[in-house]
Amino acid sequence: MQDSGIEVLFQGINAWRLWQGMFVSLKLAAISMALSILLGIIMGMIMTSKNWLVKAICRLYLETVRIMPQLVLLFLVYFGAAKHLGIDISGELSAVIVFTFWGTAEMGDIVRGALESIPKHQYESSYGLGMKRGQTFVYIILPQTIRSLIPAAINLLTRMIKTTSLVVLIGVVEVVKVGKQIIDASRFEIPTAALWIYGAIFMMYFVVCFPISKLSAVLEKRLQV
Amino acid sequence: MSEYVLQVEHLSKSFEKGKAVLQDVSFSVKKGEVVVIVGPSGCGKSTFLRCLNMLEPIDEGNIYLNGTVINRKDKNVSKIREKIGMVFQSYDLFPHMTIWKNILLAPKLVQKRDKQETQAQAEQLLKRVGLWEKKDAFPRQLSGGQKQRVAIVRALLMNPEVLLLDEITASLDPEMVREVLQVVLELAKEGRTMVIVTHEMEFARAVADRVIFMDQGAIVEEEKPGEFFRYPKTERAKKFLNTFHFEALEI
């Protein structure tokens, strides 16, 4: 078994470097997700507007984000901004901008759906008890909204973690990039390195995303309304 | 101070232009009086009740609470709604809170009442409707009839001056209707001021001090229950009451 090439994973600090790369991916996903949740809640509230113009703009934003591949958006921000606007932003910042832009749209739509799924009578019985609009939102509507959007939000988080693998193409050194470096460095001693490294990366994504999606299932049961 | 708790003058309302839901409705409720509104579905009785609580905007007319005009646009609209308790057809308890939290939320948040006093009253009311042991349950664990009794307790705990009940048994299974109506009957006996919209004619007869028959958005008859159910004056009311006796006709 000496030639299988699996030893590439245990040479030097290779494993540690892969995890470091993974943390970069996770960091980008976490920052983008946190911003997306915050902005998405505001976006979702705007999306429930009855004004047709506001609605149309929101729709356009959401559809644009959904139709455009994230990779194109990344290139647009990273290369486009540098070339045409003369702004030199790092790959990581570009990634956060793009993923937040995407996440806010998706999260906004999730929040909109959750808000609209709350029956009108929930508002009415709250008003009927003499509660004000603000109180009704904070005590009655928001808690129910959060409960119903948790599964979809977690799903978005795992999608975001996976999509961060694209940032390798704008020069961010994350897990896939580290993997490539290791493969390149050991191309001659271990020709099968690619299989093991990419296999390991696959497992790493699984180790990270599986518990998150499990958590979603647990929360969904727990918080059942 | 007016002798009337609620008073309505020439109320009109339409959802679409030219299609009146309520036309020139005038009406008043004295303190301690129980008024039951009946009529075919779509006659505007529920809308009328919702107007009283300012959940629906009105086009014309005035609504008075204790002699003072109340208005939906008023800054103090929530202060006024505190005094008008309402229970809906679909027993809208807050699904994410226990029964106990459901009923205590508004007294705490809106009225800022003393905690111990409210809790004591809540306990007493829950015991009275036979649901004290359910206080830590969530609404989804309760039957429809139980939920509706909780909704009544929740409204009562605000110590409203008048209670509006909007078809509160309409979505209940028949065997649960009684337990809810029993509670309402007791409240009536206590001298609570209530305006009730219902399809339960036997109940209406038993609970009402006055019956109002509405059709096509207008008050057609206004009578003591004994009179109304035995000798309805108008053809429309006769026809309406007959729909509840079709079994007798078939034999």
Side-chain angles (χ1 to χ4, degrees):
Chain A
M1 286 304 281
Q2 209 187 354
D3 310 308
S4 78
I6 193 167
E7 65 269 22
V8 70
L9 297 176
F10 307 106
Q11 273 174 359
I13 52 164
N14 280 359
W16 173 235
R17 282 186 61 207
L18 278 177
W19 275 111
Q20 270 179 322
M22 192 74 209
F23 287 132
V24 172
S25 305
L26 289 179
K27 185 182 76 184
L28 291 177
I31 296 173
S32 309
M33 193 63 198
L35 289 170
S36 298
I37 289 174
L38 264 163
L39 297 173
I41 289 176
I42 299 166
M43 192 65 211
M45 284 159 79
I46 297 172
M47 280 169 143
T48 55
S49 160
K50 286 186 180 68
N51 184 306
W52 71 269
L53 185 65
V54 176
K55 260 186 174 170
I57 293 170
C58 291
R59 197 75 227 161
L60 189 71
Y61 168 40
L62 182 64
E63 292 302 329
T64 309
V65 172
R66 283 198 175 151
I67 290 166
M68 273 252 238
Q70 277 89 26
L71 185 60
V72 176
L73 281 173
L74 279 172
F75 282 175
L76 209 59
V77 172
Y78 185 64
F79 298 117
K83 192 153 187 185
H84 298 288
L85 303 174
I87 311 165
D88 183 21
I89 44 177
S90 71
E92 290 199 10
L93 183 58
S94 307
V96 169
I97 291 172
V98 167
F99 291 137
T100 306
F101 181 71
W102 165 46
T104 301
E106 293 283 3
M107 193 67 202
D109 199 41
I110 294 168
V111 171
R112 180 199 54 78
L115 279 173
E116 284 175 355
S117 73
I118 292 173
K120 198 170 138 231
H121 355 102
Q122 287 289 315
Y123 291 88
E124 289 184 342
S125 46
S126 178
Y127 295 151
L129 287 164
M131 294 212 264
K132 298 200 176 84
R133 284 171 141 260
Q135 291 172 326
T136 301
F137 189 75
V138 171
Y139 291 92
I140 309 301
I141 307 304
L142 201 58
Q144 293 184 54
T145 309
I146 290 171
R147 278 170 169 76
S148 71
L149 64 71
I150 278 176
I154 288 185
N155 181 277
L156 179 63
L157 175 64
T158 53
R159 271 160 67 206
M160 208 172 263
I161 293 172
K162 286 182 290 186
T163 315
T164 54
S165 58
L166 292 177
V167 299
V168 67
L169 295 163
I170 56 168
V172 178
V173 183
E174 44 69 85
V175 62
V176 178
K177 183 75 188 172
V178 173
K180 274 187 147 177
Q181 290 169 347
I182 296 172
I183 294 164
D184 286 343
S186 39
R187 171 124 10 242
F188 296 109
E189 309 95 87
I190 309 164
T192 55
L195 172 71
W196 295 108
I197 294 292
Y198 287 132
I201 291 173
F202 165 78
M203 286 309 296
M204 285 160 82
Y205 272 110
F206 181 80
V207 165
V208 170
C209 291
F210 184 69
I212 296 176
S213 80
K214 258 279 167 278
L215 178 74
S216 156
V218 171
L219 284 175
E220 201 174 349
K221 249 197 191 138
R222 265 274 193 84
L223 298 173
Q224 205 176 52
V225 177
Chain B
M1 266 283 158
S2 153
E3 66 171 312
Y4 297 113
V5 179
L6 266 181
Q7 220 179 334
V8 174
E9 280 175 357
H10 309 295
L11 187 153
S12 293
K13 174 182 176 60
S14 51
F15 286 118
E16 298 162 51
K17 273 220 153 75
K19 270 190 86 181
V21 190
L22 296 169
Q23 343 180 13
D24 195 26
V25 177
S26 294
F27 150 102
S28 54
V29 195
K30 273 188 233 155
K31 194 169 167 42
E33 198 180 20
V34 178
V35 178
V36 173
I37 305 175
V38 299
S41 21
C43 73
K45 52 196 192 309
S46 278
T47 308
F48 179 62
L49 215 56
R50 293 163 56 82
C51 288
L52 293 180
N53 203 12
M54 295 172 291
L55 286 171
E56 294 283 350
I58 59 175
D59 298 338
E60 276 167 61
N62 284 318
I63 303 171
Y64 303 85
L65 178 70
N66 291 322
T68 323
V69 180
I70 56 174
N71 187 324
R72 199 161 180 266
K73 299 264 152 63
D74 199 311
K75 268 226 164 90
N76 289 324
V77 66
S78 48
K79 275 265 162 285
I80 301 161
R81 284 201 183 118
E82 269 181 66
K83 297 183 183 138
I84 308 174
M86 183 144 185
V87 183
F88 299 84
Q89 175 180 341
S90 44
Y91 34 83
D92 298 300
L93 300 179
F94 307 128
H96 59 297
M97 294 179 186
T98 61
I99 299 311
W100 190 239
K101 287 221 174 102
N102 253 285
I103 62 177
L104 286 171
L105 181 70
K108 187 175 107 193
L109 219 58
V110 177
Q111 298 181 319
K112 316 241 184 302
R113 275 164 61 190
D114 176 62
K115 202 172 160 192
Q116 293 207 311
E117 182 230 316
T118 337
Q119 287 189 347
Q121 195 192 353
E123 181 178 341
Q124 182 222 336
L125 282 170
L126 274 184
K127 279 182 174 155
R128 211 178 116 179
V129 299
L131 292 172
W132 172 242
E133 66 285 359
K134 296 277 186 199
K135 75 180 170 69
D136 295 318
F138 280 91
R140 63 170 179 277
Q141 296 164 311
L142 268 55
S143 72
Q146 291 173 328
K147 277 190 261 196
Q148 202 56 295
R149 281 182 281 162
V150 173
I152 294 172
V153 167
R154 187 173 69 174
L156 285 177
L157 199 57
M158 297 292 286
N159 295 320
E161 295 187 27
V162 54
L163 204 55
L164 311 177
L165 308 180
D166 186 9
E167 303 200 28
I168 58 169
T169 57
S171 48
L172 295 181
D173 291 335
E175 68 267 29
M176 289 170 185
V177 170
R178 202 183 168 82
E179 64 186 42
V180 173
L181 295 184
Q182 193 60 44
V183 173
V184 181
L185 274 170
E186 280 168 29
L187 292 175
K189 250 182 234 157
E190 266 173 31
R192 285 256 169 205
T193 315
M194 291 191 277
V195 182
I196 302 172
V197 166
T198 183
H199 281 294
E200 303 281 336
M201 291 305 135
E202 289 300 313
F203 167 67
R205 189 201 288 252
V207 79
D209 293 317
R210 187 150 48 97
V211 175
I212 287 177
F213 173 66
M214 271 180 94
D215 194 16
Q216 293 172 3
I219 293 180
V220 180
E221 275 191 50
E222 198 169 347
E223 241 353 309
K224 291 232 171 315
E227 283 291 306
F228 175 76
F229 288 106
R230 239 171 303 164
Y231 314 110
K233 282 197 224 86
T234 56
E235 271 311 306
R236 277 193 277 175
K238 268 180 214 164
K239 218 175 140 201
F240 170 72
L241 286 174
N242 265 335
T243 57
F244 292 90
H245 297 295
F246 66 94
E247 304 95 330
L249 292 176
E250 270 175 25
I251 296 166

